[in-house]
Amino acid sequence: MPSATVRGRFVWHELMTTDTQAAIAFYTKVVGWKTQAWSEDPSYTMLVAKGGPMAGVMILPEDAKAMGAPPCWLTYIGTPDVDETAGMAVELGGKIVKEPTDLPKVGRFAVIEDPQGAVFAAFAPAQGPMGDGKPTPGDFSWHELTTTDWQAAFAFYQKLFGWQKTESMDMGPELGTYQMYGWKGMTLGGMWNKPKSMTGPPCWLAYVRVPDSKKAAETVKALGGRVVKGPKEVPGGDWMAQCLDPQGVLFAVHSLKPVAEKPEAKKAAAKKPAAKKKVAAKKKVAAKKPAARKAPAKKAVAKKKPAKARTAKKRAVRKPARKARKVKRAASRRAAARPKARKKGGAKKRRR
């Protein structure tokens, strides 16, 4: 049985189209999703972001075609009990488009039309959803209901999923109020009444997070899609664009407010080119000047020691020399004296 914490969360998105291969090629380039075949049915392709599978792509079912359903994105909203949610939806004026059905190993779902005509799916996953972290590129980040009576629609979804009103915005006399709603302190999207100039029945529109809405819109046009609104900045600084894919399916992209550079960083960036120009100018001047001749290297001149140090050194050298001379002179005297003594001694002997 699914946990009660799944109630009111947007847990899955499904593209039902007439050309799955063309749609996959389109969205992988616009959003950056990867693809993965579903192990239970290889014809069902999952679109994968960094956090894991985000959506699925399938051929528009024949019974949906028979009912006049065009290719579209179907939004799945979590509930712990699909049968109870479907029964309550009928009591509140909604209709059951597809009766509660089991998907082996996946969960149980039912397709429901709200009292104003917008279609969605109630889904009880077999396994609990992932954490409630902030959406990253490739995740669905906003869910918008365009309807004919947003007050009545909000009351319907509040009873089914426990949503609460958050902020609201006055869009003028023609468009009226844009009412935002949330789940457990987190704003999930908004509701508003479509103007008389807008054609088509009430519907849910899911916004997928991309790094840059402007670039995504350009990619949409390059791949044969059409941009119907935007790219434009919305209150708060974020950017969005509403588009049609090549099969005519409405979807939207959303990117966060661009991070503004700090004034110090801008000044530093502005100074850098000027510094480069100065260096380049100096190099040019240096290149024009003739190379200066190198002066002959000067021989290192030993620094003269102080006079006192020289005198002391000379004295230290002279002392042994003086001693040697004294010793030599003394030896010479002794040598000179010895023969004389011998002569005197010899004379005495001869006299005797």
Side-chain angles (χ1 to χ4, degrees):
M1 191 73 179
S3 169
T5 58
V6 76
R7 184 179 182 226
R9 294 188 57 186
F10 292 92
V11 292
W12 192 247
H13 301 80
E14 194 166 73
L15 175 62
M16 296 183 289
T17 185
T18 53
D19 189 338
T20 57
Q21 293 305 313
I24 290 168
F26 175 82
Y27 285 100
T28 52
K29 289 182 175 66
V30 172
V31 178
W33 281 321
K34 305 298 182 183
T35 59
Q36 179 181 326
W38 183 31
S39 59
E40 300 298 320
D41 183 358
S43 67
Y44 189 92
T45 301
M46 293 186 289
L47 301 174
V48 184
K50 287 185 179 180
M54 293 291 113
V57 182
M58 62 179 289
I59 287 289
L60 183 65
E62 291 299 327
D63 56 349
K65 285 183 183 179
M67 295 173 64
C72 63
W73 277 97
L74 179 63
T75 300
Y76 285 67
I77 306 172
T79 177
D81 191 328
V82 170
D83 296 81
E84 182 182 350
T85 300
M88 186 181 294
V90 173
E91 290 177 5
L92 295 172
K95 297 178 182 179
I96 303 300
V97 177
K98 186 176 180 61
E99 293 291 336
T101 305
D102 283 325
L103 291 172
K105 301 180 182 180
V106 176
R108 187 171 174 82
F109 79 103
V111 180
I112 302 169
E113 182 182 296
D114 72 18
Q116 287 72 44
V119 177
F120 67 97
F123 181 49
Q127 298 179 352
M130 299 174 66
D132 300 326
K134 291 183 179 180
T136 58
D139 297 344
F140 287 88
S141 55
W142 194 258
H143 296 81
E144 186 174 87
L145 176 62
T146 301
T147 185
T148 54
D149 187 345
W150 73 260
Q151 291 95 335
F154 177 79
F156 172 83
Y157 289 100
Q158 183 182 41
K159 290 177 181 177
L160 290 185
F161 303 115
W163 290 341
Q164 298 175 340
K165 291 180 181 179
T166 57
E167 305 89 350
S168 63
M169 182 173 57
D170 186 357
M171 299 188 296
E174 183 183 357
L175 300 178
T177 301
Y178 188 89
Q179 179 63 55
M180 284 163 268
Y181 63 92
W183 175 86
K184 294 189 176 182
M186 183 186 299
T187 300
L188 302 175
M191 300 180 182
W192 67 304
N193 290 341
K194 69 188 186 76
K196 295 179 180 179
S197 59
M198 183 180 289
T199 59
C203 64
W204 278 99
L205 175 62
Y207 289 67
V208 61
R209 170 88 179 273
V210 293
D212 189 328
S213 292
K214 293 180 184 178
K215 290 183 179 178
E218 290 300 320
T219 304
V220 166
K221 290 187 284 187
L223 296 175
R226 187 159 63 92
V227 178
V228 295
K229 188 175 182 180
K232 63 178 291 185
E233 185 178 358
V234 296
D238 288 4
W239 282 74
M240 72 85 183
Q242 294 178 0
C243 312
L244 292 171
D245 70 16
Q247 284 72 48
V249 180
L250 182 66
F251 73 102
V253 293
H254 158 232
S255 58
L256 297 183
K257 177 182 179 180
V259 179
E261 286 186 312
K262 294 181 179 180
E264 295 80 3
K266 286 185 178 180
K267 288 179 181 178
K271 287 180 180 179
K272 282 182 180 179
K276 288 181 180 179
K277 287 179 181 179
K278 286 181 180 179
V279 172
K282 285 181 180 179
K283 286 182 178 180
K284 287 181 180 179
V285 172
K288 289 179 181 179
K289 287 182 179 180
R293 293 182 180 178
K294 291 184 178 180
K298 294 181 179 180
K299 293 182 179 179
V301 179
K303 292 182 179 180
K304 291 184 179 181
K305 294 181 180 180
K308 290 182 179 180
R310 291 200 303 272
T311 305
K313 188 174 181 181
K314 286 179 180 179
R315 286 176 182 173
V317 174
R318 286 173 182 173
K319 281 181 181 180
R322 286 176 182 173
K323 287 182 180 181
R325 285 197 294 271
K326 286 181 180 180
V327 172
K328 191 174 181 180
R329 282 199 293 270
S332 298
R333 288 191 192 108
R334 287 194 295 270
R338 282 174 188 166
K340 290 179 181 179
R342 286 174 185 168
K343 286 179 183 178
K344 287 180 180 181
K348 287 179 181 181
K349 286 180 181 181
R350 282 195 295 269
R351 286 175 185 174
R352 289 177 184 172

